[in-house]
Amino acid sequence: QKEVEQNSGPLSVPEGAIASLNCTYSDRGSQSFFWYRQYSGKSPELIMSIYSNGDKEDGRFTAQLNKASQYVSLLIRDSQPSDSATYLCAVNPLNQAGTALIFGKGTTLSVSS
Amino acid sequence: DGGITQSPKYLFRKEGQNVTLSCEQNLNHDAMYWYRQDPGQGLRLIYYSQIVNDFQKGDIAEGYSVSREKKESFPLTVTSAQKNPTAFYLCASSMMGVGYEKLFFGSGTQLSVL
């Protein structure tokens, strides 16, 4: 059974701090990795995708991938109260077209003002 | 505007009843998916389809059925065999091809049992 693991949280950070969210996956052959943000009662929205080892930055968000350790992380710099949400890590386990993503259970982030 | 439309937003099921959740997309995506989300849980795959008239079971397909008669539509039926159907149901679509797996989600349907 292919798995994606995340700490459920809640992760609490003060406004302006860096929030660090972590994800591990079981299938070593996975090649595509995604972070989705989900507000309560809403559908998930994609905030980052990463395919190669290393860091990928987009605004206040940085995704980090380490395939040897089977580890993906998301850093949120200058955290804002509007960042308070559940963050879902998703993995394409087969690197094949149209393969359904496997999701972790999500980490709840709370940013206090 | 292109997107995915799910309906209804809220749905109530009586004991022994089958109910159908609608999902329509105008993004011209080949692949479509149904996920179930329980409170405090991630998304679990029910069914997915890569092409018209073909679909594959996901991890929790028991008690559900789907059809894919048109590229734009992928309805999900929750049958009476699904004994614990209360959940948030999400439909998604994507293009085909590595690097194109980004899922576009509908707004979801909250299903509850009366």
Side-chain angles (χ1 to χ4, degrees), chain A residues 1 8 31-32 34 36 38 41-46 51 88 92 95-106, chain B residues 31 33 35 37 40-43 45 48 50 59 88 90 94-103 105-108:
Chain A
Q1 180 84 5
S8 61
Q31 297 291 326
S32 307
F34 306 87
Y36 284 81
Q38 186 178 26
K42 303 296 184 181
S43 58
E45 56 178 325
L46 180 69
Y51 301 93
L88 300 167
N92 181 343
N95 201 37
Q96 293 177 2
T99 302
L101 302 185
I102 297 176
F103 285 80
K105 293 184 178 181
Chain B
Y33 314 82
Y35 287 91
Q37 187 174 35
Q41 301 294 313
L43 279 62
L45 181 67
Y48 69 103
Q50 298 174 335
D59 298 324
F88 189 49
L90 287 159
S94 74
M95 296 170 65
M96 298 283 281
V98 175
Y100 294 94
E101 308 99 320
K102 172 183 176 178
L103 294 181
F105 285 93
S107 57

Side-chain angles (χ1 to χ4, degrees), chain A residues 34-93:
Chain A
F34 306 87
W35 284 99
Y36 284 81
R37 178 176 63 197
Q38 186 178 26
Y39 293 110
S40 181
K42 303 296 184 181
S43 58
E45 56 178 325
L46 180 69
I47 53 173
M48 291 289 287
S49 60
I50 187 166
Y51 301 93
S52 303
N53 276 331
D55 296 357
K56 179 181 178 182
E57 186 174 319
D58 184 1
R60 296 186 296 111
F61 299 97
T62 298
Q64 300 175 317
L65 175 60
N66 184 326
K67 292 182 180 178
S69 299
Q70 296 175 237
Y71 176 91
V72 189
S73 66
L74 179 70
L75 300 179
I76 307 175
R77 291 181 299 281
D78 187 24
S79 295
Q80 301 297 310
S82 59
D83 294 326
S84 298
T86 296
Y87 289 80
L88 300 167
C89 175
V91 174
N92 181 343

